[in-house]
Amino acid sequence: MKKRIAIAGSGFAGAVIARELAETGLYSIDVFEERDHLAGNCHTERDSGTGIMLHRYGPHIFNTSREDVWDYVQRWGKFEPYINRVKAKTARGMFSLPINLLTINQFFGRTMNPREAAEFVAGLGDQSVGTPQSFEDQALKFLGRELYENFFRGYTKKQWGVEPSELPASILQRLPVRFNYDDNYYNMRFQGIPLEGYTALISRILDHPAISIHLRTRFTADESRAYDRTFFTGPLDSWFNFRLGRLQYRSLTFDRFESQGDYQGNAVINYCEETIPFTRISEHKHFTPWEKHEATVCFREFSKLAGPEDIPYYPLRLTGDKALLKQYADLAEREKGVTFAGRLATYRYLDMHAVIGESLDLSRRLIALGSDTSSWPHFSVRPD
Ligand code: UDP
């Protein structure tokens, strides 16, 4: 008899764990997905009117430095080369982002070389800031007030709904600052977009005789009793019916508009000014430059605090959230038969490649532990 595994959620975490366990031949796996499609917030679908591949929950550009993760995703579909090159609209004009030598020279009206620019920017930094604790500290210390206020302050207040002095420095550390003309948004070794979109990729990961998929089906903690082990990839607090309170998330809304030709000449343009209510506009046909479309579909992206009915996107992780997270993580470690994995269940700001990497690592650990599922860990990575 195969052991029965339930997996709640069909994003990358759920899909990778399902596949890895299915391939051992020891388990029969039910994947439960409450939405009407696979792939969670990575979901892509062709627009019925224009045929353009849309990232329904916002732009997803795959990037990783882990060779095993890059090899893994390519097992399930062809990736087209794609480099994310973002532009930023500021009060002083349109610039290249991340901040690079072109940004610095154009913003300050200079023609510096890399060494001169590095010295110049170091001179802008606020030396009175010690070890940066907050987003604001990090920006002021390494970039100075002018770059901070033009590129980061307004955008960050819109995106997170709080003062940047309340946010961790790690959020800004996601973005490189370069003293050369490299305008690649990411620092990773590998980057691309799946030719047929993320949902096709994830449905191939899940296409295995030992895996059954149940769309439009919410999975509850009660149902886990019928299984030898459950993997929960939804919000950690929802597993416990929010009994200690709610972890805060930011949610997004999208305002769609359509036109002909090329609306903005780039896939993503950020709007850094606080007076403009949206954070960015994405023009999705530019995510598939290998396709030809006359029409174009764009989305203005707005951020808000997630209410109970909203889709959670970004864990806010303010001080109160982190205290609550610790309490939920302690509860999770006392929960029998359940493993929490992925971005929502570990309440961390993880990109796709990080979720896949952690899910592969977790699966390898499970396989090494063998089919005594009671010995399996409670978390892919315990959050803090
Ligand atoms: N950010 C900003 N201005 C920008 C782009 C990013 O202030 O034009 C800040 C903002 O706080 C954002 C963070 O940098 O949340 C990380 O940006 P990233 O592009 O990694 O965010 P994501 O694509 O995950 O939304």
Side-chain angles (χ1 to χ4, degrees), residues 59 84 86-88 97 135 148 151-157 159-160 167 171-172 174-175 185-186 252 270-272 279-280 301 314 349 351:
N84 193 23
V86 174
K87 300 293 173 277
L97 198 80
F135 184 109
Y148 166 57
F151 288 91
F152 301 113
R153 186 161 188 272
Y155 187 101
T156 298
K157 283 181 74 173
Q159 170 72 3
W160 295 96
L167 293 166
I171 295 180
L172 183 59
R174 291 170 57 85
L175 304 189
Y185 200 69
Y186 304 116
L252 300 177
N270 289 357
Y271 285 78
C272 300
T279 53
R280 53 187 176 183
E301 189 172 320
Y314 297 89
Y349 189 176
D351 294 330

Side-chain angles (χ1 to χ4, degrees), residues 15-260:
V16 169
I17 296 164
R19 180 74 196 202
E20 294 306 290
L21 292 182
E23 287 188 354
T24 64
L26 300 173
Y27 308 102
S28 145
I29 299 155
D30 285 314
V31 174
F32 298 92
E33 170 55 61
E34 61 185 38
R35 300 185 198 175
D36 62 0
H37 59 75
L38 297 174
N41 284 0
C42 307
H43 174 58
T44 46
E45 65 201 348
R46 280 207 187 274
D47 180 44
S48 55
T50 62
I52 295 167
M53 187 64 88
L54 301 181
H55 299 206
R56 197 201 282 181
Y57 305 94
H60 282 74
I61 298 104
F62 194 83
N63 63 96
T64 183
S65 288
R66 265 181 70 166
E67 202 160 358
D68 63 334
V69 169
W70 184 232
D71 291 345
Y72 186 83
V73 290
Q74 289 181 97
R75 255 174 80 191
W76 311 108
K78 185 173 177 346
F79 274 67
E80 289 291 326
Y82 186 89
I83 303 287
N84 193 23
R85 300 185 199 280
V86 174
K87 300 293 173 277
K89 161 78 171 64
T90 74
R92 304 233 306 239
M94 195 67 92
F95 294 98
S96 170
L97 198 80
I99 289 183
N100 62 68
L101 192 47
L102 187 64
T103 322
I104 296 164
N105 274 330
Q106 291 187 331
F107 187 79
F108 293 103
R110 305 281 290 265
T111 54
M112 294 177 281
N113 67 24
R115 187 183 46 76
E116 290 163 343
E119 280 170 16
F120 175 77
V121 172
L124 301 175
D126 182 346
Q127 302 312 324
S128 68
V129 178
T131 307
Q133 299 299 328
S134 70
F135 184 109
E136 183 169 87
D137 286 354
Q138 175 82 15
L140 290 177
K141 181 171 172 113
F142 293 106
L143 296 169
R145 186 159 293 279
E146 229 177 330
L147 289 170
Y148 166 57
E149 288 190 343
N150 278 279
F151 288 91
F152 301 113
R153 186 161 188 272
Y155 187 101
T156 298
K157 283 181 74 173
K158 291 189 288 185
Q159 170 72 3
W160 295 96
V162 294
E163 287 296 328
S165 54
E166 293 177 57
L167 293 166
S170 59
I171 295 180
L172 183 59
Q173 288 159 355
R174 291 170 57 85
L175 304 189
V177 175
R178 300 203 189 96
F179 299 105
N180 59 33
Y181 289 103
D182 180 2
D183 62 352
N184 184 347
Y185 200 69
Y186 304 116
N187 262 341
M188 303 283 178
R189 269 178 78 195
F190 310 105
Q191 194 170 160
I193 290 192
L195 179 69
E196 296 167 61
Y198 292 96
T199 302
L201 194 85
I202 286 186
S203 57
R204 252 177 258 123
I205 298 177
L206 288 168
D207 181 13
H208 187 283
I211 301 175
S212 308
I213 297 170
H214 311 270
L215 290 179
R216 298 177 205 82
T217 313
R218 181 184 275 271
F219 184 81
T220 61
D222 287 345
E223 289 162 284
S224 66
R225 294 204 197 95
Y227 291 88
D228 293 289
R229 191 86 193 178
T230 293
F231 291 84
F232 188 71
T233 72
L236 178 61
D237 51 355
S238 76
W239 177 264
F240 298 101
N241 281 320
F242 311 101
R243 76 169 86 129
L244 305 175
R246 282 182 182 266
L247 294 167
Q248 299 186 94
Y249 279 93
R250 299 299 289 177
S251 189
L252 300 177
T253 56
F254 298 94
D255 170 14
R256 175 189 163 129
F257 59 98
E258 242 178 273
S259 67
Q260 291 297 308

Side-chain angles (χ1 to χ4, degrees), residues 349-373:
Y349 189 176
L350 298 179
D351 294 330
M352 293 183 283
H353 64 97
V355 169
I356 295 169
E358 287 187 2
S359 303
L360 283 173
D361 295 342
L362 172 68
S363 303
R364 287 171 192 143
R365 276 164 71 202
L366 303 178
I367 292 164
L369 285 166
S371 63
D372 172 11
T373 58

